[in-house]
């Protein structure tokens, strides 16, 4: 059984199709990054997973139950909305206390749990300040705290690092890495920070126009097309022509691009050809240095989401 | 990261969950401990306490109590200036003036109960928790009702203290009945305003609708009812239904019952149709309960 399963889920708002036949499954204990441009359907997907919305068609199961079971499902699910709101008059400690109480944290453990979460999200010194005076980043931290204060087995976090300062982002990374370290907790979070997703996630789901364009382990997706980029720095800019010609003689080379200063050469090739390219060019010209890198998520994203995609979007 | 939690469960710190997954203790509190599952009643209490705390922090309760106290003590003080002043007249004056004030205050207290938190994002955050929408609504109503009713009892009660000092203790029971009925009427209008809030999409619209309710119940309903009675001379049961259809008429009839005063307006016609005290109390209870039930249904269907 999976932590999350969606089978051909479709949701329309008037003329806009926010989710278009989404089929997806997430295994227990995985950390999943949800990518997509604005309006791709990420928030709509989260809202369906916690039962705030119901699909027009298709089936959804979270921790083995339909989200329409409502509170019964949310007992096992921690959800951080895109824009969490808190009552201005309450302090951070009081907010977390209420959340702990409603999440069923035993009274005897509640204070200690709240203190621990306050420390985890870096709000210990602001614990007794009213949330009305919080910055956007502090509000996000408190939002993260509200999902950590319970004991859910699935965490759904809608852009948890948006508006966070670097330290707040680091805190979030620490939290996710701790959870990913064999805790069995399934974490799904949306983000526009591709490097963050690449660093933290086991799997990536790429949504575009309400459809799942890509879903799979980060490593597999990055290496899916088997390409690698070799960047060379030439000792003599005058050798650029010869170096390019030499590189093109190697089988598996897909493209050669010269840098503006004439000293750099960027060669896209099949992974298996990388060493041959390097050796061949090195025989032809003198090199000052080189580096090779595999495609990152930015390139995967660019490959699957055309510029200007997701023109629709949920209301 | 914070200290590692001390939760180490069976199977090497992991616990198998009903859905086949496992949960293991971590430093931030995700652990094997079983939730102290609260009853729905407990969750209602938690939400109500939270709502009360917010109001108290904003000094809303003190402000409302002061408003009711100024109103009640003021009416009592002015009434006591008359040489023939007595409790009956004071209560009648309070009822006639309270008909304007009590529903207005209650509607203002409740109109943003649902739509306000929705606009601020608080509702979304709250409903991410394992609580039902109905639980949140009922808790919100109870929290706000405790603020409103507490303020009403204290504020109007101070008027009773002033009446006892200035007019003696002979009519304390009538005054006490007025305070209780006024408080129940405030609760009824709070329930109506929460219903408006659960139906409205925006705060400004909710406020407009709440003020529309005030105009209807305070001004228009009795005007139309008097017109119906004068033009059609309907039978007693019809007049009774017309009276029960307005919580302010119920308030008038209950608060003035047994006093040596003559009701005015439509209440004068309704006082002669044999509406008993239990019927009037039951009607007020329906006016409190029914809007909350309907609001809970609306909340369940509301698209957030």
């Amino acid at each position: 059984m999976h932590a999350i399963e969606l089978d051909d889920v479709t949701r329309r708002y008037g003329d806009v199709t926010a989710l278009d036949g989404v089929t997806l499954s997430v295994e227990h204990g995985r950390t999943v990054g949800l990518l997509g441009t604005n309006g791709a359907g990420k928030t709509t997907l989260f809202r369906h997973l916690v039962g705030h919305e119901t699909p027009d068609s298709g089936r959804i199961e979270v921790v083995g139950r339909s989200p329409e079971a409502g509170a019964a499902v949310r007992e096992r699910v921690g959800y951080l909305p895109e824009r969490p709101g808190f009552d201005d008059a309450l302090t951070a400690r009081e907010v977390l206390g209420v959340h702990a109480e409603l999440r069923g944290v035993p009274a005897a453990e509640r204070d200690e749990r709240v203190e621990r979460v306050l420390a985890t999200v870096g709000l210990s010194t602001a614990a007794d300040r009213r949330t009305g005076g919080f910055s956007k980043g502090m509000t996000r931290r408190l939002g993260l705290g509200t999902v950590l204060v319970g004991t859910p087995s699935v965490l759904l976090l809608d852009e948890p690092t948006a508006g966070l300062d670097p330290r707040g982002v680091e805190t979030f990374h620490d939290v996710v890495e701790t959870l990913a370290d064999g805790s069995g907790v399934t974490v799904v979070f949306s983000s526009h920070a591709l490097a963050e997703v690449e660093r933290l996630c086991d799997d990536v789901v790429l949504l575009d126009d309400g459809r799942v364009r890509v879903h799979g382990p980060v490593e597999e997706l990055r290496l899916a097309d088997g390409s690698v980029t070799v960047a060379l720095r030439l000792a003599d800019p005058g050798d650029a022509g010869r170096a390019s010609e030499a590189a093109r003689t190697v089988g598996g080379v897909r493209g050669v691009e010269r840098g503006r200063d004439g000293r750099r050469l960027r060669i896209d090739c099949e992974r298996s050809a990388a060493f041959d390219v390097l050796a061949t060019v090195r025989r032809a010209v003198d090199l000052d240095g080189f580096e090779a890198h595999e495609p990152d998520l930015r390139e995967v994203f660019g490959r699957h989401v055309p510029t200007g995609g997701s023109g629709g979007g949920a209301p | 990261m914070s200290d590692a939690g001390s939760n180490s469960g069976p199977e090497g710190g992991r616990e198998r969950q009903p859905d086949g997954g496992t949960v293991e203790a971590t430093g931030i509190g995700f652990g094997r401990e079983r939730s102290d599952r609260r009853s729905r009643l407990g969750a209602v209490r938690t939400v109500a306490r939270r709502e009360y705390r917010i109001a108290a922090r904003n000094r809303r309760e003190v402000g409302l109590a002061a408003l009711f106290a100024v109103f009640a003590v003021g009416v009592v003080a002015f009434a006591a200036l008359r040489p023939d002043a007595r409790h009956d007249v004071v209560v009648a004056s309070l009822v006639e003036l309270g008909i304007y004030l009590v529903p207005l205050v209650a509607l203002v207290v409740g109109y943003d109960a649902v739509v306000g938190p929705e606009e601020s994002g608080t509702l979304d955050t709250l409903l991410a928790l394992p609580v039902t929408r109905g639980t949140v609504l009922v808790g919100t109503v109870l929290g706000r009702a405790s603020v409103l009713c507490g303020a009403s009892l204290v504020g109007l009660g101070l008027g009773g203290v002033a009446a006892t000092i200035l007019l003696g203790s002979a009519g304390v029971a009538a005054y006490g009945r007025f305070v209780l009925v006024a408080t129940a009427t405030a609760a009824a209008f709070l329930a109506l305003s929460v219903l408006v809030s659960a139906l409205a999409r925006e705060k400004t619209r909710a406020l407009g609708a709440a003020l529309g309710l005030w105009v209807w119940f305070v001004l228009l309903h009795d005007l139309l009812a008097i017109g119906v009675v004068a033009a059609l001379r309907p039978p007693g049961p019809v007049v009774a239904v017309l009276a029960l259809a307005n919580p302010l008429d119920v308030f008038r009839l209950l608060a003035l019952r047994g006093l040596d005063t003559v009701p005015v307006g439509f209440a004068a016609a309704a006082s002669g149709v044999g509406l008993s005290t239990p019927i009037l109390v039951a009607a007020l209870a329906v006016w409190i309960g029914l809007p909350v039930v309907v609001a809970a249904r609306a909340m369940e269907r509301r698209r957030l």
Side-chain angles (χ1 to χ4, degrees), chain B residues 57-211:
Chain B
R57 193 66 55 76
N58 290 328
R59 303 189 193 286
R60 192 182 269 192
E61 189 178 29
V62 174
L64 291 174
L67 180 66
F68 283 126
V70 166
F71 163 70
V73 173
V75 170
V76 169
F78 281 119
L81 292 176
R82 290 174 52 149
D84 60 341
R86 57 181 212 276
H87 274 278
D88 285 4
V89 177
V90 167
V91 170
S93 301
L94 283 167
V95 168
E96 289 311 319
L97 293 173
I99 273 169
Y100 297 94
L101 180 70
V102 170
L104 186 64
V105 170
L107 289 167
V108 168
V109 168
Y111 84 93
D112 67 342
V114 175
V115 74
E118 184 184 79
E119 285 186 7
S120 69
T122 312
L123 191 62
D124 216 15
T125 309
L126 202 56
L127 291 176
L129 292 163
V131 290
T132 64
R133 294 182 179 201
T135 299
V136 170
L137 184 112
V138 173
T140 301
V141 171
L142 288 179
R144 294 196 181 208
S146 61
V147 170
L148 178 66
C149 296
S152 168
L153 290 171
V154 171
L156 297 179
L158 284 174
V161 173
T164 306
I165 292 169
L166 296 172
L167 306 173
S169 57
V172 165
Y175 192 94
R177 189 168 65 233
F178 155 72
V179 173
L180 290 178
V181 178
T183 301
T185 305
F189 277 91
L190 175 72
L192 283 168
S193 64
V194 170
L195 171 58
V196 162
S197 194
L199 294 171
R201 295 305 319 177
E202 294 168 20
K203 229 161 112 172
T204 46
R205 289 188 183 188
L207 181 59
L211 293 176

Side-chain angles (χ1 to χ4, degrees), chain A residues 146-164:
Chain A
T146 59
V147 296
L148 299 179
V149 83
T151 56
S153 55
V154 173
L155 286 185
L156 305 172
L157 313 172
D158 197 353
E159 297 196 22
T161 55
L164 281 181

Side-chain angles (χ1 to χ4, degrees), chain A residues 15-284:
Chain A
D15 295 337
V16 177
T17 303
L19 297 177
D20 190 359
V22 171
T23 297
L24 184 66
S25 59
V26 176
E27 287 175 29
H28 284 282
R30 303 288 281 184
T31 302
V32 180
L34 189 55
L35 300 177
T37 53
N38 293 324
K42 303 186 295 295
T43 296
T44 306
L45 180 61
F46 280 129
R47 293 176 61 77
H48 278 75
L49 292 176
V50 289
H52 286 182
E53 304 266 358
T54 49
D56 295 325
S57 61
R59 181 182 62 86
I60 303 178
E61 277 192 5
V62 179
V63 287
R65 303 182 73 163
S66 165
E68 287 177 48
V73 167
R74 290 195 297 274
E75 263 184 22
R76 306 284 313 280
V77 176
Y79 170 51
L80 174 64
E82 188 180 6
R83 282 184 286 273
F86 304 104
D87 289 298
D88 292 354
L90 297 182
T91 66
R93 192 191 305 280
E94 287 169 339
V95 167
L96 291 178
V98 168
H99 279 252
E101 205 171 334
L102 291 174
R103 281 217 167 272
V105 176
E109 299 171 23
R110 218 170 282 152
D111 289 348
E112 188 204 337
R113 177 74 63 85
V114 167
E115 289 306 321
R116 208 189 304 169
V117 169
L118 282 166
T120 300
V121 299
L123 286 177
S124 290
T125 55
D128 295 312
R129 276 174 55 187
R130 294 192 190 187
T131 62
F134 274 18
S135 67
K136 189 179 172 191
M138 291 168 83
T139 304
R140 301 290 306 178
R141 284 167 182 260
L142 182 57
L144 183 59
T146 59
V147 296
L148 299 179
V149 83
T151 56
S153 55
V154 173
L155 286 185
L156 305 172
L157 313 172
D158 197 353
E159 297 196 22
T161 55
L164 281 181
D165 59 25
R167 190 174 291 177
V169 171
E170 203 53 43
T171 299
F172 170 73
H173 291 178
D174 286 347
V175 167
V176 173
E177 281 170 349
T178 302
L179 293 173
D181 191 18
S183 70
V185 176
T186 308
V187 181
V188 181
F189 72 91
S190 61
S191 176
H192 292 294
L194 301 180
E196 173 178 271
V197 171
E198 196 163 345
R199 172 180 161 184
L200 298 174
C201 295
D202 303 310
D203 301 318
V204 171
V205 175
L206 178 51
L207 273 182
D208 182 46
D209 268 342
R211 292 183 192 160
V212 175
R213 299 289 182 192
V214 174
H215 176 210
V218 174
E219 279 301 300
E220 277 182 26
L221 294 176
R222 282 177 53 228
L223 307 178
D225 71 350
S227 70
V228 71
T229 300
V230 178
L232 305 176
R233 200 166 62 249
L234 307 176
D236 180 356
D239 288 340
R242 270 198 298 144
S244 297
E245 283 172 26
R248 288 183 208 281
T249 63
V250 180
V253 170
R254 295 171 177 174
V256 179
E257 191 182 318
R258 286 193 207 178
R260 283 184 194 159
D261 61 358
R263 293 179 71 95
R264 291 174 195 278
L265 211 58
R266 186 184 154 96
I267 302 160
D268 290 326
C269 61
E270 288 173 14
R271 174 190 295 270
S272 57
F275 286 109
D276 284 348
V277 167
L278 186 59
T280 304
V281 176
R282 204 174 169 197
R283 277 198 298 273

Side-chain angles (χ1 to χ4, degrees), chain B residues 157-266:
Chain B
L158 284 174
V161 173
T164 306
I165 292 169
L166 296 172
L167 306 173
S169 57
V172 165
Y175 192 94
R177 189 168 65 233
F178 155 72
V179 173
L180 290 178
V181 178
T183 301
T185 305
F189 277 91
L190 175 72
L192 283 168
S193 64
V194 170
L195 171 58
V196 162
S197 194
L199 294 171
R201 295 305 319 177
E202 294 168 20
K203 229 161 112 172
T204 46
R205 289 188 183 188
L207 181 59
L211 293 176
L213 279 183
W214 185 86
V215 169
W216 168 254
F217 285 119
V218 173
L219 305 174
L220 298 182
H221 177 274
D222 276 16
L223 204 63
L224 289 173
I226 289 170
V228 167
V229 170
L232 306 175
R233 300 198 179 281
V238 174
V239 176
V241 168
L242 283 173
L244 296 176
N246 185 347
L248 292 177
D249 285 326
V250 178
F251 168 48
R252 265 200 194 100
L253 292 170
L254 270 174
L256 299 178
R257 178 143 295 188
L259 296 184
D260 189 16
T261 57
V262 180
V264 295
F266 178 65

